[in-house]
Structures are given as structure tokens and as C-alpha cells.
Amino acid sequence: MSYYVRLMRQEDVAQVTEIDREAFSTQWPPPNYQRELRNRLTHYIVVYDKEKTIDTPEVKASSEKNLTGLVARLRRLFSRNRFFSNELPPPSRHCIIGFAGLWVMADEAHITSIAVREAYRRQGIGELLLISLISLATEQKTRIVTLEVRVSNATAQTLYSKYNFTQVSVRRGYYVDNREDAILMSTENITSAPFQAHLQQLKQAHFRKWGIALSKITR
Ligand SMILES: CC(C)(COP(=O)(O)OP(=O)(O)OC[C@H]1O[C@@H](n2cnc3c(N)ncnc32)[C@H](O)[C@@H]1OP(=O)(O)O)[C@@H](O)C(=O)NCCC(=O)NCCS
């Protein structure tokens, strides 16, 4: 497989917004990823399929198509609002299949999002993103990685538990769409020997199973 991880760029925003809408449809509107990219505390990564390039006009057409109806009307209505900027940057030619974000505060790295296109799920991409975020958190000299996950999201919880995230507390009514509780999960010290040993085992198993090369995250 030819999947690679790199930092998110402005030109990825249209595809990332598409994936966000597919994965978190109830949490409308999506974050303004263009603005997120300018935030020095957040770090976004994408996974792309090197064998697939996107025909630029098609991406443009599909992102414009997704902006018809209610979104387009609201965009026109709030042309200077905080969610949308007026111009999307030219779309990326890479086919983006997943993305994830990390918010770094002192010695804590908080996972803001992680999502894989539906058509690419259960192929090790979510795991690739999580491994990359942990590596980014280590580079940023943080000590722990935390996140919130819906009580009903058993799939994501299974992924995080595999990487030794454990439940720390419950945030009652955290999600505004349906007032669902969030489970706050955290790692132990990511630089500790037991955490690193477990991580190495998982990385090797991931490589054996999926053959995805875990190279350095490029720009
Ligand atoms: C959660 C998500 C990112 C996982 O991505 P993915 O690429 O399908 O995951 P992977 O193929 O890398 O699977 C890794 C591990 O996750 C867990 N997992 C993934 N899909 C699962 C499923 N349907 N049921 C149970 N466990 C699952 C397993 O532990 C799996 O390891 P295994 O292969 O050894 O069983 C993906 O389902 C997604 O985008 N969901 C919507 C967005 C979301 O809920 N994000 C999390 C917000 S907190």
C-alpha cells in the first residue's frame, strides 16, 4: 500500500472538511480548518494515497457541490462569519483518506479529531494516524496524550484502548448535539519504558499486517 502521512496544508482543507462532514455529521458546522492551520497550538496531519491523484476540477466541483443548499446559503448570509472564509484554497492533488489533529498545551497533547474516509476504514489507517499523533506528541516534548470520546463510540474506544489509553473521567452532557457524555481518556507518560515498549510492539505488528511504511511526518 502506498499511504503516507504529512502535515495538513491549506490545499487539503476541502477534502478534510468533506471527511469531517462524513465522520462527524451531527457536529455541524465543521471547524474552520483554514483558521486551525494558523493556530500555533494545533498540529494537523493527513494520510494520503500516493497511487491516487485527484483531478483538480473534480475536487473543486465536489467541494462546491457540497456547499450547495443550506451551507451555501449560510455562507452567503455570514460571509464574514467565524466558520467559513470566503475563498477555499486551490484543492490538493493528493487523495486525502484520513486526518487527525493534536492540540499541544504545556506537557499535554490533546487529540482534537481523528477520522478516516468510510471507504478506507478497517485497513489500518486510523492506527497509522494514532501512531503518528503519538510520535508528534513526543516530538513536541509532551508527557501525556488525552482525548474525549463519545460513550457510544465503541469503535474509537477499542482503538484507543489498544494503545493503552485508559478512562480518566466522564464529562456529563459534553456533546451539544445530543447531550451525550464524553469519556476522557489518557495515556500514561508516553516517554516511559512500558509505554514505549508496547508502542514498538504495536508499530511492528501494524507494519507486518498492513505493510505501511511509518516514515517521518513530512511537510
Ligand atoms: C475510529 C476510526 C478513526 C478508526 O479508523 P480505521 O482506519 O477504521 O481503524 P483501523 O483499521 O486502523 O483499526 C485499528 C483498531 O481500531 C479498532 N477498530 C477499528 N474499527 C473497529 C470496529 N468497526 N469495531 C471494533 N474495533 C474497531 C480495532 O482495535 C482495530 O485494531 P485491530 O485491527 O487489531 O482489530 C474510524 O472508524 C472513523 O473515522 N470513525 C469516525 C470518526 C470517529 O469516530 N473518530 C473518533 C472520534 S473520538
Side-chain angles (χ1 to χ4, degrees), residues 35-190:
R35 200 183 48 191
E36 287 288 284
L37 284 176
R38 293 192 294 270
N39 182 345
R40 275 190 284 151
L41 298 178
T42 55
H43 304 261
Y44 278 90
I45 55 173
V46 295
V47 176
Y48 64 96
D49 184 345
K50 207 171 187 179
E51 278 167 10
K52 238 188 188 175
T53 51
I54 297 279
D55 189 14
T56 304
E58 258 176 40
V59 174
K60 209 171 193 167
S62 102
S63 51
E64 282 307 313
K65 190 182 73 201
N66 285 331
L67 288 175
T68 57
L70 181 63
V71 179
R73 260 181 283 140
L74 285 168
R75 192 168 153 168
R76 279 195 296 275
L77 197 61
F78 301 106
S79 57
R80 271 184 281 157
N81 75 32
R82 64 194 193 88
F83 299 122
F84 301 109
S85 73
N86 285 333
E87 290 297 325
L88 282 177
S92 167
R93 291 192 64 79
H94 284 144
C95 176
I96 310 294
I97 56 180
F99 76 96
L102 199 66
W103 184 23
V104 175
M105 297 153 289
D107 65 350
E108 179 179 339
H110 189 78
I111 296 179
T112 57
S113 51
I114 179 163
V116 176
R117 276 192 200 275
E118 261 168 33
Y120 285 85
R121 290 190 192 158
R122 300 251 58 178
Q123 298 177 46
I125 314 292
E127 225 172 314
L128 177 66
L129 283 164
L130 187 56
I131 292 169
S132 305
L133 286 182
I134 295 170
S135 139
L136 205 53
T138 312
E139 258 177 45
Q140 294 291 318
K141 312 248 182 293
T142 58
R143 206 174 45 84
I144 56 166
V145 183
T146 60
L147 58 91
E148 280 108 12
V149 57
R150 284 178 191 264
V151 171
S152 64
N153 194 345
T155 298
Q157 287 168 39
T158 311
L159 167 63
Y160 303 136
S161 302
K162 184 172 175 182
Y163 281 77
N164 278 357
F165 284 73
T166 54
Q167 178 172 337
V168 176
S169 61
V170 172
R171 296 195 162 147
R172 299 275 169 221
Y174 180 80
Y175 294 98
V176 287
D177 57 344
N178 61 353
R179 311 200 57 71
E180 187 173 347
D181 296 346
I183 299 176
L184 176 65
M185 300 184 91
S186 177
T187 59
E188 59 176 310
N189 187 339
I190 54 174

Side-chain angles (χ1 to χ4, degrees), residues 2-21:
S2 50
Y3 300 147
Y4 290 85
V5 182
R6 64 165 167 73
L7 291 178
M8 191 197 292
R9 302 173 188 159
Q10 290 283 344
E11 73 231 36
D12 303 329
V13 166
Q15 289 191 74
V16 165
T17 303
E18 234 173 65
I19 298 171
D20 182 294
R21 197 166 298 138

